[in-house]
Amino acid sequence: SSFLIDGRDIRKSPVECKQILAYIPDNPDLYEHLTGIQYLNFIGDIYGVPAAERKELIQKYGDMLEITSSLGDLISSYSHGMKQKLAIIGALIHEPGLLILDEPFVGLDPRAVLVLKEKMHRICREGAAIFFSTHVLDVAERLCTRAAMIREGRLVAEGTMEELTKGGTLEEAFMEVEKKMCDALNELFAEELREADLRGRTEGLKLGKSEGLHQAAVETYQEMGLNYQDTCSRIKEKYQLTEDEARKIMEKHWKFT
């Protein structure tokens, strides 16, 4: 597979791709032995931002996010929100064509959230793109033109906001997708468990009836990709067991890797 950024393959041209993108994690790891201004100058040096332009942008974004007066302090003294603001300035300082954000509003005060939202809209109007992840669906609905829904690491829905919401809300669309996925999964589980019960009855001749059923069910759930806790819950419900009984079965038949 390949991953293109502005027509460039990131595997073949990694430096060129990194020059036009920026990433803001939900919990930024910054160089805490530096002051805020030292960190921003370091980032400016990496991206080759001219000194005069850099100074102007740092002042502009620092004032917007109300952190200018703290840029001379060590980053180790910053709160989570201040670190997030510094990471945002560091991401914007070279005016990237693509911003990748992971829960960008976590830890920000209401004014900073509003400022960042306005900046995100402005960036897109100027021709750049923003790709960000969030669990707050109403924020995504208000900000995004397109959205994708991921469940257990798999893409389950994608499209324009109008295509996904169909006149409703993104939360309603998410719940509808979730219901369809759960219904389909339950149907699949029912079929797989019928086969598991048959295997279990055969094994039960050697292990005892219930023991064979339990082993086959645990193996089936694990093969289908369920995690330990979800499998334990389903075993408990299926065979009307106590929590301790279900956990003993799991400890006996779950294949730890």
Side-chain angles (χ1 to χ4, degrees), residues 5-104:
I5 298 177
D6 196 25
R8 301 179 179 89
D9 189 323
I10 196 167
R11 294 181 302 175
K12 297 177 181 177
S13 307
V15 175
E16 290 84 351
C17 287
K18 291 174 183 177
Q19 286 175 336
I20 61 173
L21 66 81
Y23 169 60
I24 304 176
D26 65 333
N27 188 26
D29 290 321
L30 308 176
Y31 299 110
E32 298 200 345
H33 62 283
L34 299 179
T35 64
I37 191 65
Q38 286 174 334
Y39 172 79
L40 293 176
N41 279 319
F42 170 65
I43 297 298
D45 287 341
I46 288 176
Y47 285 102
V49 182
E53 180 183 345
R54 179 191 315 178
K55 182 178 179 180
E56 181 181 340
L57 290 172
I58 290 174
Q59 183 72 46
K60 173 185 173 182
Y61 294 131
D63 290 347
M64 284 173 57
L65 294 170
E66 299 181 326
I67 195 176
T68 302
S69 62
S70 300
L71 291 179
D73 299 338
L74 286 172
I75 295 174
S76 59
S77 70
Y78 284 14
S79 66
H80 176 79
M82 291 174 67
K83 289 178 181 177
Q84 188 76 353
K85 290 178 181 180
L86 190 67
I88 291 169
I89 297 174
L92 296 175
I93 198 171
H94 66 292
E95 300 184 320
L98 172 64
L99 263 175
I100 302 174
L101 315 176
D102 183 8
E103 300 286 2

Side-chain angles (χ1 to χ4, degrees), residues 159-177:
T160 65
M161 203 57 65
E162 292 77 14
E163 290 170 343
L164 289 173
T165 59
K166 298 177 182 177
T169 67
L170 193 58
E171 288 181 343
E172 291 170 344
F174 176 81
M175 294 307 297
E176 180 64 24
V177 169

Side-chain angles (χ1 to χ4, degrees), residues 217-237:
V218 171
E219 290 175 352
T220 298
Y221 282 134
Q222 188 167 13
E223 288 168 4
M224 295 180 69
L226 262 70
N227 62 34
Y228 186 95
Q229 187 57 50
D230 287 344
T231 298
C232 187
S233 297
R234 287 181 178 271
I235 291 295
K236 177 184 173 184
E237 180 181 352

Side-chain angles (χ1 to χ4, degrees), residues 41-257:
N41 279 319
F42 170 65
I43 297 298
D45 287 341
I46 288 176
Y47 285 102
V49 182
E53 180 183 345
R54 179 191 315 178
K55 182 178 179 180
E56 181 181 340
L57 290 172
I58 290 174
Q59 183 72 46
K60 173 185 173 182
Y61 294 131
D63 290 347
M64 284 173 57
L65 294 170
E66 299 181 326
I67 195 176
T68 302
S69 62
S70 300
L71 291 179
D73 299 338
L74 286 172
I75 295 174
S76 59
S77 70
Y78 284 14
S79 66
H80 176 79
M82 291 174 67
K83 289 178 181 177
Q84 188 76 353
K85 290 178 181 180
L86 190 67
I88 291 169
I89 297 174
L92 296 175
I93 198 171
H94 66 292
E95 300 184 320
L98 172 64
L99 263 175
I100 302 174
L101 315 176
D102 183 8
E103 300 286 2
F105 307 113
V106 173
L108 294 181
D109 57 82
R111 187 181 185 283
V113 169
L114 180 61
V115 167
L116 181 56
K117 287 180 180 178
E118 291 175 347
K119 181 60 181 176
M120 290 167 70
H121 280 301
R122 192 177 304 118
I123 287 172
C124 290
R125 286 197 299 269
E126 292 171 353
I130 296 175
F131 185 84
F132 85 99
S133 65
T134 181
H135 290 84
V136 186
L137 298 184
D138 60 333
V139 170
E141 185 174 353
R142 290 197 301 270
L143 285 177
C144 299
T145 54
R146 297 184 65 86
M149 298 181 187
I150 297 174
R151 188 180 191 276
E152 296 182 359
R154 296 182 180 181
L155 183 67
V156 296
E158 184 268 337
T160 65
M161 203 57 65
E162 292 77 14
E163 290 170 343
L164 289 173
T165 59
K166 298 177 182 177
T169 67
L170 193 58
E171 288 181 343
E172 291 170 344
F174 176 81
M175 294 307 297
E176 180 64 24
V177 169
E178 184 77 3
K179 182 179 182 302
K180 288 179 180 178
M181 290 293 296
C182 286
D183 289 345
L185 199 58
N186 285 333
E187 289 181 12
L188 181 60
F189 282 154
E191 179 61 31
E192 291 288 337
L193 284 173
R194 278 193 289 271
E195 295 181 10
D197 283 345
L198 289 175
R199 293 203 312 272
R201 291 190 184 97
T202 301
E203 290 295 316
L205 295 176
K206 296 179 289 183
L207 303 173
K209 182 178 178 181
S210 61
E211 182 74 7
L213 292 173
H214 296 162
Q215 178 178 335
V218 171
E219 290 175 352
T220 298
Y221 282 134
Q222 188 167 13
E223 288 168 4
M224 295 180 69
L226 262 70
N227 62 34
Y228 186 95
Q229 187 57 50
D230 287 344
T231 298
C232 187
S233 297
R234 287 181 178 271
I235 291 295
K236 177 184 173 184
E237 180 181 352
K238 179 176 175 60
Y239 297 109
Q240 300 295 300
L241 303 172
T242 66
E243 186 74 24
D244 286 343
E245 290 171 337
R247 290 196 177 279
K248 286 179 181 178
I249 290 171
M250 291 296 296
E251 290 169 3
K252 191 169 186 178
H253 299 300
W254 183 265
K255 296 177 182 177
F256 292 94
T257 56

